[in-house]
């Protein structure tokens, strides 16, 4: 349940699968969004190829695996615990592919594709909007140049990558994520139960992690209360900071103003019903939820992080510094000036009903010799 997974499903659903035979291998098989995948693709059995800390043992028991396979699993657990390159113990798919894609840039995905998958060409997608020098950095330096191409999801994201790894400059291309506009509009019509109180409704959608700015949301909500505004702010999504978020709400006496809705496979009715969509992120590559809010023609306040200035024209959204006071001021300005909100929505309507040629770039990439 996350933006990268959703973007991959959007791409697969949009592609002409009569032109391509596509296998999908999930390295983190929670499958919370699987029912959204409508494309004619072959979903590979995760545990036939890879090992995980929890699911593999049950898979081996269920399939009455040999002693050799159990021993390999225990070696994997040991290697993984020691922080070594445990993906090298995974099994490669039997085929040799024309193209292998590491659709996520994080975790073991990019390294598994290089070391284990047989393919004539290999591409990696980069969705981050930053390049932290963490424990994976030496691996990035080693593996990124091996790819035939790296796809950044925005020009800002590309700039971050090539500044960090100038040796790959010629191999980094930009392809924006595919957004299923008509599907979003249809799903937004679903009936939901929300508070009918006469308050301004704000919505944020995203994984509840530090990246998405839950602390900024709380600080901004406090300031809106301070300034006397009546509102309710919904967060759609779950994540590692859910308990922290609950504690912050209680500590700041915001239980009447901030509502945590948890994961929703269909977040669009919540975006549809809001007065203002707010994305208080610390970093993004090319935020999907703000694009979805644009499709639904909502007045939008976002932080000035990579990708946002590529998404919004001057009159299509408010882009503010990563600062709760500035976010608060932008929200208050929109609340106080409904005509500005109306003009913003009209601009987005005009923009979102123009023809979209995003998918053409993917076909050009996949079809080149």
């Amino acid at each position: 349940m996350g933006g990268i997974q959703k973007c991959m499903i959007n791409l697969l659903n949009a592609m002409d699968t009569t032109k391509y035979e596509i296998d999908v291998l999930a390295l983190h098989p929670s499958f919370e969004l699987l029912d959204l995948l409508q494309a004619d693709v072959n979903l590979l059995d995760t545990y036939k190829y890879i090992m995980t800390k929890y699911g593999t043992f049950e898979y081996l028991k269920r399939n009455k695996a040999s002693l050799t396979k159990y021993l390999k699993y225990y070696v994997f657990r040991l290697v993984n615990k020691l922080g070594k390159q445990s993906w090298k113990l995974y099994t490669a798919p039997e085929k040799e592919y024309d193209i292998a894609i590491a659709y996520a840039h994080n975790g073991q995905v990019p390294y598994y594709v290089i070391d284990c998958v047989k393919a004539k060409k290999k591409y990696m997608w980069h969705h981050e909007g930053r390049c932290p020098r963490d424990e994976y950095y030496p691996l990035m330096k080693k593996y990124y140049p091996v790819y035939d191409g790296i796809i950044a999801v925005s020009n800002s994201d590309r700039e971050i990558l090539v500044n960090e790894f100038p040796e790959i400059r010629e191999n980094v291309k930009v392809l924006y994520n595919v957004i299923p506009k008509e599907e979003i509009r249809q799903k937004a019509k679903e009936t939901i139960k929300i508070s009918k109180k006469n308050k301004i409704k704000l919505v944020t959608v995203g994984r509840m992690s530090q990246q998405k700015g839950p602390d900024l949301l709380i600080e901004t909500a406090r300031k809106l209360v301070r300034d006397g505004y009546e509102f309710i702010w919904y967060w759609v999504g779950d994540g590692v900071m859910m308990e922290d978020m609950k504690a912050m709400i209680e500590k700041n006496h915001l239980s009447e103003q901030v509502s945590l809705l948890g994961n929703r496979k269909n977040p669009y009715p919540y975006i549809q019903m809001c007065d203002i969509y707010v994305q208080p992120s610390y970093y993004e590559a090319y935020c999907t939820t703000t694009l979805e809010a644009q499709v639904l023609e909502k007045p939008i306040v976002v932080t000035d992080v990579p990708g946002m200035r590529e998404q919004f024209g001057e009159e299509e959204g408010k882009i503010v510094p990563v600062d709760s006071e500035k976010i608060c001021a932008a929200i208050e300005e929109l609340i106080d000036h409904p005509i500005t909100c109306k003009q913003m929505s009209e601009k987005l309507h005009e923009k979102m009903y123009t023809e979209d040629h995003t998918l053409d770039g993917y076909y050009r990439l996949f079809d080149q010799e």
Side-chain angles (χ1 to χ4, degrees):
M1 182 72 78
I4 293 176
Q5 292 83 349
K6 186 70 194 303
C7 288
M8 186 184 76
I9 287 171
N10 289 343
L11 171 59
L12 292 171
N13 285 346
M15 284 178 65
D16 179 1
T17 53
T18 64
K19 292 177 62 179
Y20 308 97
E21 181 185 341
I22 302 172
D23 290 350
V24 177
L25 176 60
L27 264 65
H28 300 284
S30 57
F31 299 131
E32 290 179 83
L33 296 176
L34 187 59
D35 61 346
L36 301 181
L37 180 61
Q38 305 299 319
D40 181 17
V41 299
N42 178 33
L43 193 65
L44 299 179
D45 182 351
T46 294
Y47 295 112
K48 183 178 176 182
Y49 303 100
I50 73 156
M51 289 174 279
T52 67
K53 188 175 177 182
Y54 300 108
T56 297
F57 186 73
E58 290 302 316
Y59 177 83
L60 294 174
K61 277 202 310 182
R62 194 164 59 248
N63 288 277
K64 299 178 181 176
S66 66
L67 180 60
T68 304
K69 289 186 177 178
Y70 276 103
L71 287 173
K72 185 178 179 182
Y73 172 61
Y74 289 120
V75 170
F76 159 77
R77 289 293 301 272
L78 177 61
V79 171
N80 200 50
K81 190 172 183 179
L82 293 172
K84 304 299 181 184
Q85 297 176 7
S86 58
W87 65 85
K88 291 185 176 182
L89 292 165
Y90 295 169
T91 303
E94 297 80 0
K95 299 177 188 175
E96 179 177 354
Y97 294 92
D98 295 303
I99 301 170
I101 293 172
Y103 194 75
H105 61 276
N106 46 22
Q108 298 180 335
V109 177
Y111 316 115
Y112 172 73
V113 168
I114 291 295
D115 286 337
C116 300
V117 181
K118 299 183 288 292
K120 296 183 180 88
K121 287 189 176 180
K122 297 183 179 184
Y123 299 115
M124 185 194 81
W125 257 245
H126 193 270
H127 305 257
E128 185 84 348
R130 63 169 191 159
C131 195
R133 295 201 173 198
D134 57 17
E135 69 271 19
Y136 284 104
Y137 187 78
L139 287 170
M140 295 177 201
K141 290 283 285 184
K142 178 182 175 183
Y143 280 76
Y144 284 12
V146 182
Y147 275 97
D148 295 287
I150 292 179
I151 310 304
V153 297
S154 68
N155 288 299
S156 305
D157 192 39
R158 182 187 186 278
E159 188 177 333
I160 287 163
L161 273 173
V162 299
N163 284 342
E164 197 64 51
F165 307 112
E167 67 274 20
I168 65 172
R169 175 180 293 274
E170 298 305 314
N171 273 357
V172 185
K173 305 171 177 65
V174 175
L175 286 174
Y176 294 132
N177 292 323
V178 172
I179 300 297
K181 295 179 184 177
E182 199 49 47
E183 178 188 330
I184 290 167
R185 293 181 185 118
Q186 290 303 314
K187 288 186 172 180
K189 295 174 182 177
E190 181 183 308
T191 303
I192 53 171
K193 291 181 180 179
I194 55 165
S195 169
K196 300 296 183 185
K197 292 178 183 175
N198 189 23
K199 294 180 178 180
I200 293 294
K201 295 177 179 63
L202 311 174
V203 164
T204 297
V205 178
R207 187 179 63 257
M208 201 169 288
S209 64
Q210 187 60 32
Q211 173 195 352
K212 301 296 182 180
D215 56 325
L216 283 173
L217 185 151
I218 295 296
E219 290 169 21
T220 304
R222 253 188 341 109
K223 291 175 170 65
L224 288 168
V225 171
R226 173 201 68 192
D227 294 344
Y229 286 86
E230 289 281 316
F231 68 95
I232 183 161
W233 195 334
Y234 296 97
W235 184 302
V236 181
D238 202 347
V240 294
M241 289 193 67
M242 176 63 88
E243 293 307 314
D244 292 335
M245 191 72 164
K246 289 176 182 176
M248 285 190 281
I249 290 168
E250 186 175 345
K251 180 181 176 182
N252 289 280
H253 310 291
L254 292 170
S255 59
E256 292 295 313
Q257 289 82 19
V258 179
S259 176
L260 308 181
L261 298 176
N263 283 335
R264 293 287 188 274
K265 285 184 182 176
N266 181 10
Y268 307 124
Y270 299 94
I271 300 175
Q272 182 66 65
M273 64 82 187
C274 77
D275 298 296
I276 303 168
Y277 183 86
V278 187
Q279 195 67 47
S281 300
Y282 283 102
Y283 60 92
E284 296 281 355
Y286 200 70
C287 184
T288 301
T289 56
T290 49
L291 281 168
E292 293 168 339
Q294 287 184 60
V295 171
L296 297 175
E297 302 167 22
K298 291 294 162 179
I300 302 169
V301 175
V302 299
T303 45
D304 194 0
V305 295
M308 291 305 187
R309 292 191 179 273
E310 289 176 59
Q311 279 195 26
F312 292 94
E314 215 170 87
E315 298 172 333
E316 296 167 355
K318 285 200 161 292
I319 303 175
V320 299
V322 183
D323 177 271
S324 60
E325 198 69 64
K326 301 293 185 184
I327 298 168
C328 178
I331 293 169
E332 290 179 1
E333 185 179 342
L334 289 178
I335 293 171
D336 294 342
H337 298 89
I339 290 176
T340 303
C341 290
K342 186 173 183 293
Q343 290 169 341
M344 208 177 268
S345 295
E346 288 168 353
K347 283 284 183 184
L348 290 173
H349 178 84
E350 183 182 327
K351 175 182 178 180
M352 285 296 138
Y353 277 92
T354 56
E355 194 173 354
D356 191 342
H357 296 284
T358 305
L359 200 56
D360 295 345
Y362 288 86
Y363 290 151
R364 284 194 294 272
L365 176 72
F366 298 152
D367 294 345
Q368 64 187 352
E369 292 298 326

